[in-house]
Amino acid sequence: MRICFVTKGSLSEFSDSFEGNPPEIVCFGFQAIGKVSYERELRGETSLFEDVALLSKEQRNVVVCGCYTDARGIRRKSVVVAERGRILGVTDMMNRIDGGEFRSGAGVKIFDTSAGKLGIVVAEDLYFPRVIETLSVCGAEAVIVIFEELTESLEQVLMRAQAFMYGIPVCLCAFGYAETADIGGKLCFATPQSPCFYELRREQEYHLIETRRRGFYKKKKGTF
């Protein structure tokens, strides 16, 4: 799975036509299209989602792009996913911390694409391990995190730990930086370059985990 990370500049500034070994996925941070008003999109006053879809059609691949959505004054951090000219959907950040300006959305999403089943994590949802755990349990083959700006090494530690704990490769695209972690928790790619490319290996390991705990007590039935 070849991935291109675009961590600087807007969507309109990106017009690469890939030759030889084109990426299956192109990821953009929140800077790519910025604010998106659903009302203005529906009225045809803006065409930001359409631009994402058109890019995916031109490149014949999957485009994953961060944005700030506005639905009648309710603002959310979101990610739009398009494939070969079609919008597959929009997913929102689920967790709102300390009453921040961006509201929480509902539900995590896995997008079944030609590049595989992609689980999307939006911004600070990376701080909540159950999000990636749920994506892993529900069959995602890789997780893509669209973040804003990294804070030293915190996000790197979290993505490595969760890739190891839940057995799923994690890719992160933020403003000015991109990185990936494999299922062993190893940081296998990190760069400030934009655009940059990485060949992500599909890795799936299953192990039997047994634990002892109290609870789940059921009385044995008597003999007939």
Side-chain angles (χ1 to χ4, degrees), residues 207-213:
H207 300 273
L208 177 64
I209 309 295
E210 297 183 53
T211 59
R212 293 182 64 204
R213 55 171 293 183

Side-chain angles (χ1 to χ4, degrees), residues 14-66:
F14 182 81
S15 58
D16 283 3
S17 56
F18 306 101
E19 297 180 1
N21 188 15
E24 297 172 75
I25 305 168
V26 182
C27 298
F28 292 87
F30 284 93
Q31 82 289 339
I33 59 176
K35 300 177 182 178
V36 179
S37 167
Y38 283 119
E39 288 184 81
R40 297 187 66 193
E41 287 282 298
L42 290 171
R43 288 199 298 260
E45 296 174 8
T46 60
S47 58
L48 298 172
F49 283 171
E50 183 181 355
D51 292 342
V52 175
L54 287 173
L55 179 63
S56 72
K57 183 178 181 180
E58 292 170 2
Q59 306 294 343
R60 301 184 68 185
N61 56 17
V62 178
V63 174
V64 180
C65 184

